[in-house]
Amino acid sequence: MTGRPATPPRLRVLAVDDEPPALDELLYLLRNDPRVEYVHSAADAAEALRVLHENDVDVAFLDIRMPGLDGMDLARVLQRFARSPAVVFVTAYDDRAADAFDLGVVDYVRKPVRAERIAESLRRVLSERAAVEDRPAAPPEASPAGGDPMIPVELGGVVRLLPRSSVCWVEAQGDYARLHTTDGSHLVRVSLTQLEERWTDAGFLRIHRSYLVRLDLVTELRLTGSGYVVSVGGRQLPVARRHTRVLKDRLIRPAKQHWG
């Protein structure tokens, strides 16, 4: 007997925006995509939570700037759900992109929205869901302490999602930070101090007023005439005297204990 092809999964969607024209346009584009089963709508976070209390949703498209609880706040609330929906931010601004670092968003769409851009967001949601469903369950001791947050970065007018694990080191540039990866760099609107606070538990360490490095990518610690330098991601970076002791403790002591 010839089996029928599996029916492609369809998504249950929630769209939230306090501006009626923007919400109507988003609803129109979502309802006209064949991968969407149905769409709920809400004009603010409070209404969105009422909808979510009564309905299961696979993905929430959230405006960021809303009165009361904004989109970022709502996304944090959704993270605490037993079955947390995927989140796509839809916004006219990019000044909150840095705040989305640790929220694990699937996509970050700039207004005015276009059909092809919403289609790409839905493709990403389905792709991520398929990856989760296909991933074998890890034994409890192998379960990671956290995920790999996606960092929204803008490149040529397009917002890309950069996995934090691709970042080798970070350089302070005023009120901004430049994320250096193996294949380039990206400027984001967040201070190095903020990243230090957020990323310490992920293995990043401040070594200088201008540099934050990923410890597991450091390949060398060397004393020069002007002080210590580390090699990371193919670059040599200076280590400030006040950070040297902590760096040695975090970098050298574990290695000696392992081999001792």
Side-chain angles (χ1 to χ4, degrees), residues 191-209:
S191 72
L192 197 67
T193 299
Q194 288 175 298
L195 285 185
E196 179 186 10
E197 293 172 353
R198 297 178 184 181
W199 290 7
T200 294
D201 292 342
F204 284 79
L205 182 70
R206 185 79 168 260
I207 61 167
H208 188 277
R209 66 182 180 182

Side-chain angles (χ1 to χ4, degrees), residues 32-228:
N32 279 277
D33 192 294
R35 292 166 294 185
V36 174
E37 183 175 352
Y38 56 79
V39 187
H40 299 285
S41 65
D44 55 34
E47 185 179 355
L49 291 172
R50 287 194 293 270
V51 171
L52 290 166
H53 180 71
E54 299 173 355
N55 302 274
D56 288 329
V57 168
D58 299 307
V59 53
F61 283 75
L62 309 179
D63 184 27
I64 291 182
R65 294 192 178 181
M66 297 185 292
L69 210 65
D70 69 11
M72 290 287 179
D73 296 327
L74 179 57
R76 293 185 183 97
V77 173
L78 297 186
Q79 284 184 326
R80 298 197 288 268
F81 278 34
R83 184 181 180 277
S84 178
V87 171
V88 175
F89 286 128
V90 183
T91 177
Y93 309 94
D94 62 2
D95 62 343
R96 299 294 304 276
D99 295 330
F101 280 178
D102 300 320
L103 295 181
V105 298
V106 174
D107 205 355
Y108 193 99
V109 180
R110 290 286 302 275
K111 295 178 180 178
V113 293
R114 306 184 310 275
E116 59 271 22
R117 192 66 185 82
I118 295 300
E120 171 62 15
S121 294
L122 293 169
R123 184 198 67 77
R124 293 184 184 186
V125 171
L126 286 168
S127 177
E128 182 176 275
R129 190 167 76 165
V132 170
E133 291 174 349
D134 292 342
R135 189 180 301 143
E141 64 275 13
S143 297
D148 188 9
M150 305 299 286
I151 306 163
V153 296
E154 187 159 0
L155 184 65
V158 176
V159 176
R160 288 180 50 206
L161 292 175
L162 182 76
R164 184 174 63 188
S165 61
S166 68
V167 178
C168 302
W169 53 284
V170 187
E171 179 182 8
Q173 293 193 348
D175 293 332
Y176 290 74
R178 183 168 292 280
L179 311 178
H180 293 268
T181 67
T182 55
D183 59 357
S185 67
H186 306 273
L187 193 66
V188 293
R189 192 191 297 253
V190 63
S191 72
L192 197 67
T193 299
Q194 288 175 298
L195 285 185
E196 179 186 10
E197 293 172 353
R198 297 178 184 181
W199 290 7
T200 294
D201 292 342
F204 284 79
L205 182 70
R206 185 79 168 260
I207 61 167
H208 188 277
R209 66 182 180 182
S210 298
Y211 300 110
L212 184 71
V213 301
R214 192 171 133 198
L215 281 176
D216 65 344
L217 295 182
V218 173
T219 56
E220 183 181 59
L221 174 64
R222 182 160 53 90
L223 181 62
T224 68
S226 56
Y228 280 97

